[in-house]
Short mmCIF file of all heavy atoms in Angstrom, two decimals:
data_model
loop_
_atom_site.label_atom_id
_atom_site.label_comp_id
_atom_site.label_asym_id
_atom_site.label_seq_id
_atom_site.Cartn_x
_atom_site.Cartn_y
_atom_site.Cartn_z
N GLY A 1 49.20 87.10 97.97
CA GLY A 1 48.00 86.32 97.70
C GLY A 1 46.88 87.14 97.10
O GLY A 1 45.94 86.58 96.52
N SER A 2 46.98 88.46 97.20
CA SER A 2 45.94 89.35 96.64
C SER A 2 45.97 89.40 95.13
O SER A 2 45.02 89.89 94.50
CB SER A 2 46.12 90.77 97.19
OG SER A 2 46.21 90.79 98.58
N LEU A 3 47.06 88.94 94.52
CA LEU A 3 47.20 89.06 93.06
C LEU A 3 46.18 88.21 92.31
O LEU A 3 45.81 88.54 91.18
CB LEU A 3 48.62 88.69 92.65
CG LEU A 3 49.72 89.59 93.23
CD1 LEU A 3 51.10 89.08 92.84
CD2 LEU A 3 49.53 91.03 92.77
N LEU A 4 45.77 87.10 92.91
CA LEU A 4 44.72 86.26 92.33
C LEU A 4 43.61 86.12 93.35
O LEU A 4 43.87 86.07 94.55
CB LEU A 4 45.27 84.88 91.94
CG LEU A 4 46.34 84.83 90.85
CD1 LEU A 4 46.82 83.41 90.62
CD2 LEU A 4 45.83 85.43 89.54
N ILE A 5 42.39 86.00 92.88
CA ILE A 5 41.24 85.93 93.79
C ILE A 5 41.28 84.68 94.66
O ILE A 5 40.76 84.67 95.77
CB ILE A 5 39.91 85.99 93.00
CG1 ILE A 5 38.72 86.23 93.94
CG2 ILE A 5 39.71 84.74 92.17
CD1 ILE A 5 38.74 87.54 94.63
N ILE A 6 41.93 83.63 94.17
CA ILE A 6 42.01 82.37 94.94
C ILE A 6 43.25 82.32 95.81
O ILE A 6 43.51 81.31 96.48
CB ILE A 6 42.00 81.15 94.00
CG1 ILE A 6 43.21 81.19 93.06
CG2 ILE A 6 40.70 81.06 93.22
CD1 ILE A 6 43.42 79.94 92.24
N GLY A 7 44.03 83.40 95.84
CA GLY A 7 45.30 83.37 96.54
C GLY A 7 45.24 83.68 98.02
O GLY A 7 46.26 83.60 98.69
N SER A 8 44.08 84.05 98.53
CA SER A 8 43.97 84.39 99.95
C SER A 8 42.58 84.09 100.46
O SER A 8 41.62 84.00 99.68
CB SER A 8 44.29 85.88 100.16
OG SER A 8 43.29 86.69 99.55
N ALA A 9 42.48 83.96 101.77
CA ALA A 9 41.17 83.73 102.38
C ALA A 9 40.24 84.91 102.11
O ALA A 9 39.04 84.73 101.89
CB ALA A 9 41.34 83.53 103.89
N ALA A 10 40.81 86.12 102.11
CA ALA A 10 40.00 87.31 101.83
C ALA A 10 39.38 87.23 100.44
O ALA A 10 38.20 87.56 100.25
CB ALA A 10 40.87 88.57 101.95
N GLY A 11 40.16 86.80 99.47
CA GLY A 11 39.65 86.68 98.11
C GLY A 11 38.55 85.65 97.98
O GLY A 11 37.54 85.87 97.30
N ILE A 12 38.74 84.53 98.62
CA ILE A 12 37.75 83.44 98.54
C ILE A 12 36.45 83.86 99.20
O ILE A 12 35.35 83.60 98.69
CB ILE A 12 38.32 82.16 99.18
CG1 ILE A 12 39.50 81.65 98.36
CG2 ILE A 12 37.25 81.08 99.26
CD1 ILE A 12 40.28 80.53 99.00
N VAL A 13 36.55 84.53 100.36
CA VAL A 13 35.35 85.00 101.05
C VAL A 13 34.62 86.04 100.19
O VAL A 13 33.39 86.00 100.05
CB VAL A 13 35.71 85.60 102.42
CG1 VAL A 13 34.52 86.32 103.03
CG2 VAL A 13 36.19 84.50 103.37
N ALA A 14 35.37 86.97 99.60
CA ALA A 14 34.76 87.99 98.74
C ALA A 14 34.08 87.36 97.53
O ALA A 14 32.99 87.77 97.14
CB ALA A 14 35.82 88.99 98.29
N MET A 15 34.72 86.35 96.95
CA MET A 15 34.17 85.66 95.78
C MET A 15 32.86 84.96 96.14
O MET A 15 31.93 84.89 95.33
CB MET A 15 35.19 84.66 95.24
CG MET A 15 34.82 84.02 93.91
SD MET A 15 36.22 83.19 93.10
CE MET A 15 36.87 82.17 94.40
N SER A 16 32.77 84.46 97.34
CA SER A 16 31.55 83.76 97.76
C SER A 16 30.40 84.73 98.00
O SER A 16 29.23 84.34 97.92
CB SER A 16 31.82 82.95 99.03
OG SER A 16 31.97 83.80 100.15
N LYS A 17 30.73 85.99 98.29
CA LYS A 17 29.70 86.97 98.61
C LYS A 17 29.19 87.72 97.37
O LYS A 17 28.05 88.17 97.34
CB LYS A 17 30.25 87.99 99.62
CG LYS A 17 30.44 87.46 101.02
CD LYS A 17 29.10 87.23 101.67
CE LYS A 17 29.25 86.81 103.13
NZ LYS A 17 27.94 86.61 103.76
N ILE A 18 30.05 87.88 96.37
CA ILE A 18 29.70 88.63 95.16
C ILE A 18 29.74 87.68 93.98
O ILE A 18 30.82 87.25 93.55
CB ILE A 18 30.65 89.82 94.94
CG1 ILE A 18 30.63 90.75 96.16
CG2 ILE A 18 30.27 90.59 93.67
CD1 ILE A 18 31.63 91.88 96.09
N GLU A 19 28.59 87.35 93.44
CA GLU A 19 28.50 86.34 92.38
C GLU A 19 29.31 86.73 91.15
O GLU A 19 29.92 85.87 90.50
CB GLU A 19 27.03 86.14 92.00
CG GLU A 19 26.81 84.99 91.02
CD GLU A 19 25.33 84.75 90.74
OE1 GLU A 19 24.49 85.32 91.47
OE2 GLU A 19 25.03 84.01 89.81
N ALA A 20 29.34 88.00 90.81
CA ALA A 20 30.05 88.44 89.61
C ALA A 20 31.56 88.47 89.79
O ALA A 20 32.31 88.60 88.81
CB ALA A 20 29.56 89.83 89.21
N LEU A 21 32.03 88.35 91.01
CA LEU A 21 33.47 88.35 91.28
C LEU A 21 34.01 86.93 91.10
O LEU A 21 33.84 86.07 91.95
CB LEU A 21 33.74 88.84 92.71
CG LEU A 21 35.21 88.99 93.09
CD1 LEU A 21 35.89 90.04 92.23
CD2 LEU A 21 35.33 89.37 94.57
N THR A 22 34.64 86.70 89.97
CA THR A 22 35.19 85.38 89.63
C THR A 22 36.68 85.50 89.37
O THR A 22 37.25 86.60 89.40
CB THR A 22 34.50 84.81 88.38
OG1 THR A 22 34.80 85.67 87.25
CG2 THR A 22 32.99 84.74 88.57
N PHE A 23 37.30 84.37 89.10
CA PHE A 23 38.74 84.38 88.78
C PHE A 23 39.01 85.30 87.60
O PHE A 23 39.95 86.09 87.61
CB PHE A 23 39.20 82.96 88.47
CG PHE A 23 40.68 82.84 88.25
CD1 PHE A 23 41.53 82.57 89.30
CD2 PHE A 23 41.23 83.01 86.98
CE1 PHE A 23 42.91 82.46 89.10
CE2 PHE A 23 42.60 82.91 86.77
CZ PHE A 23 43.43 82.64 87.83
N GLY A 24 38.16 85.20 86.58
CA GLY A 24 38.35 85.99 85.37
C GLY A 24 38.12 87.47 85.56
O GLY A 24 38.91 88.30 85.10
N THR A 25 37.04 87.85 86.25
CA THR A 25 36.75 89.28 86.43
C THR A 25 37.79 89.94 87.34
O THR A 25 38.15 91.11 87.14
CB THR A 25 35.35 89.47 87.03
OG1 THR A 25 35.23 88.73 88.26
CG2 THR A 25 34.27 89.00 86.06
N TYR A 26 38.30 89.21 88.31
CA TYR A 26 39.34 89.76 89.18
C TYR A 26 40.66 89.90 88.43
O TYR A 26 41.43 90.84 88.67
CB TYR A 26 39.51 88.84 90.39
CG TYR A 26 40.40 89.38 91.49
CD1 TYR A 26 39.88 90.21 92.48
CD2 TYR A 26 41.75 89.06 91.55
CE1 TYR A 26 40.68 90.70 93.51
CE2 TYR A 26 42.56 89.54 92.57
CZ TYR A 26 42.03 90.36 93.54
OH TYR A 26 42.83 90.84 94.55
N LEU A 27 40.91 88.98 87.50
CA LEU A 27 42.16 88.98 86.74
C LEU A 27 42.29 90.23 85.87
O LEU A 27 43.40 90.60 85.48
CB LEU A 27 42.24 87.72 85.88
CG LEU A 27 43.62 87.34 85.32
CD1 LEU A 27 44.59 87.05 86.46
CD2 LEU A 27 43.50 86.12 84.41
N ARG A 28 41.18 90.87 85.58
CA ARG A 28 41.23 92.10 84.77
C ARG A 28 42.07 93.19 85.44
O ARG A 28 42.61 94.08 84.77
CB ARG A 28 39.81 92.64 84.54
CG ARG A 28 38.90 91.71 83.75
CD ARG A 28 37.50 92.28 83.74
NE ARG A 28 36.53 91.34 83.19
CZ ARG A 28 35.21 91.51 83.22
NH1 ARG A 28 34.72 92.62 83.78
NH2 ARG A 28 34.40 90.61 82.71
N PHE A 29 42.19 93.13 86.74
CA PHE A 29 42.90 94.17 87.48
C PHE A 29 44.33 93.74 87.86
O PHE A 29 44.95 94.36 88.72
CB PHE A 29 42.12 94.53 88.75
CG PHE A 29 40.69 94.91 88.50
CD1 PHE A 29 39.65 94.04 88.82
CD2 PHE A 29 40.37 96.12 87.92
CE1 PHE A 29 38.33 94.40 88.59
CE2 PHE A 29 39.05 96.49 87.68
CZ PHE A 29 38.03 95.62 88.01
N ILE A 30 44.85 92.69 87.21
CA ILE A 30 46.13 92.12 87.60
C ILE A 30 47.27 93.12 87.47
O ILE A 30 48.19 93.15 88.29
CB ILE A 30 46.44 90.84 86.78
CG1 ILE A 30 47.73 90.17 87.25
CG2 ILE A 30 46.49 91.14 85.30
CD1 ILE A 30 47.70 89.70 88.69
N VAL A 31 47.25 93.97 86.43
CA VAL A 31 48.33 94.94 86.24
C VAL A 31 48.35 95.94 87.39
O VAL A 31 49.41 96.23 87.97
CB VAL A 31 48.18 95.67 84.89
CG1 VAL A 31 49.24 96.77 84.76
CG2 VAL A 31 48.31 94.69 83.74
N ALA A 32 47.19 96.46 87.74
CA ALA A 32 47.09 97.41 88.85
C ALA A 32 47.52 96.76 90.17
O ALA A 32 48.25 97.36 90.97
CB ALA A 32 45.68 97.95 88.96
N LEU A 33 47.08 95.53 90.38
CA LEU A 33 47.44 94.80 91.60
C LEU A 33 48.94 94.56 91.68
O LEU A 33 49.56 94.71 92.74
CB LEU A 33 46.69 93.46 91.64
CG LEU A 33 45.18 93.55 91.91
CD1 LEU A 33 44.49 92.24 91.51
CD2 LEU A 33 44.90 93.86 93.37
N LEU A 34 49.53 94.18 90.55
CA LEU A 34 50.97 93.90 90.51
C LEU A 34 51.78 95.17 90.76
O LEU A 34 52.80 95.14 91.46
CB LEU A 34 51.33 93.29 89.16
CG LEU A 34 52.74 92.69 89.02
CD1 LEU A 34 52.96 91.62 90.08
CD2 LEU A 34 52.95 92.11 87.63
N LEU A 35 51.33 96.29 90.20
CA LEU A 35 52.01 97.57 90.42
C LEU A 35 51.97 97.95 91.91
O LEU A 35 52.98 98.36 92.49
CB LEU A 35 51.37 98.66 89.58
CG LEU A 35 51.71 98.69 88.08
CD1 LEU A 35 50.86 99.73 87.37
CD2 LEU A 35 53.20 98.98 87.88
N ALA A 36 50.79 97.82 92.52
CA ALA A 36 50.65 98.17 93.94
C ALA A 36 51.50 97.25 94.81
O ALA A 36 52.19 97.71 95.74
CB ALA A 36 49.18 98.09 94.34
N TYR A 37 51.46 95.95 94.52
CA TYR A 37 52.26 94.98 95.28
C TYR A 37 53.74 95.30 95.17
O TYR A 37 54.48 95.28 96.17
CB TYR A 37 51.97 93.57 94.76
CG TYR A 37 52.96 92.52 95.20
CD1 TYR A 37 52.98 92.03 96.50
CD2 TYR A 37 53.90 92.01 94.30
CE1 TYR A 37 53.89 91.07 96.90
CE2 TYR A 37 54.81 91.04 94.68
CZ TYR A 37 54.81 90.58 95.99
OH TYR A 37 55.72 89.62 96.38
N THR A 38 54.20 95.63 93.96
CA THR A 38 55.61 95.91 93.73
C THR A 38 56.05 97.19 94.43
O THR A 38 57.13 97.23 95.02
CB THR A 38 55.89 96.01 92.22
OG1 THR A 38 55.48 94.80 91.57
CG2 THR A 38 57.37 96.24 91.95
N LEU A 39 55.22 98.23 94.37
CA LEU A 39 55.57 99.47 95.06
C LEU A 39 55.71 99.23 96.56
O LEU A 39 56.67 99.69 97.19
CB LEU A 39 54.49 100.53 94.82
CG LEU A 39 54.63 101.81 95.66
CD1 LEU A 39 55.82 102.62 95.17
CD2 LEU A 39 53.37 102.65 95.62
N GLY A 40 54.76 98.51 97.13
CA GLY A 40 54.84 98.21 98.55
C GLY A 40 56.07 97.41 98.90
O GLY A 40 56.73 97.65 99.93
N TYR A 41 56.42 96.46 98.03
CA TYR A 41 57.60 95.62 98.27
C TYR A 41 58.88 96.45 98.26
O TYR A 41 59.74 96.30 99.13
CB TYR A 41 57.68 94.52 97.22
CG TYR A 41 58.77 93.51 97.49
CD1 TYR A 41 58.58 92.49 98.41
CD2 TYR A 41 60.00 93.60 96.85
CE1 TYR A 41 59.59 91.57 98.69
CE2 TYR A 41 61.02 92.69 97.11
CZ TYR A 41 60.81 91.68 98.03
OH TYR A 41 61.81 90.78 98.30
N ILE A 42 59.00 97.35 97.28
CA ILE A 42 60.18 98.22 97.20
C ILE A 42 60.27 99.11 98.44
O ILE A 42 61.35 99.31 99.01
CB ILE A 42 60.13 99.08 95.92
CG1 ILE A 42 60.27 98.18 94.68
CG2 ILE A 42 61.23 100.14 95.92
CD1 ILE A 42 60.03 98.89 93.37
#
């Protein structure tokens, strides 16, 4: 659920606290997030 800002309660709470944190600005880090998620999964 961390891969998208709307995918978890943590993301939604963080988005509500930081105005500049939106779906689009969080999506900029999708490659890094996907790499970290995949490493952990392996």
Side-chain angles (χ1 to χ4, degrees):
S2 308
L3 298 176
L4 296 177
I5 192 65
I6 61 171
S8 66
I12 294 171
V13 170
M15 188 165 50
S16 72
K17 288 289 185 179
I18 302 175
E19 187 176 348
L21 185 63
T22 64
F23 185 91
T25 56
Y26 189 86
L27 197 62
R28 297 174 189 171
F29 306 106
I30 184 62
V31 175
L33 289 163
L34 191 57
L35 283 173
Y37 165 74
T38 303
L39 172 71
Y41 187 80
I42 293 172

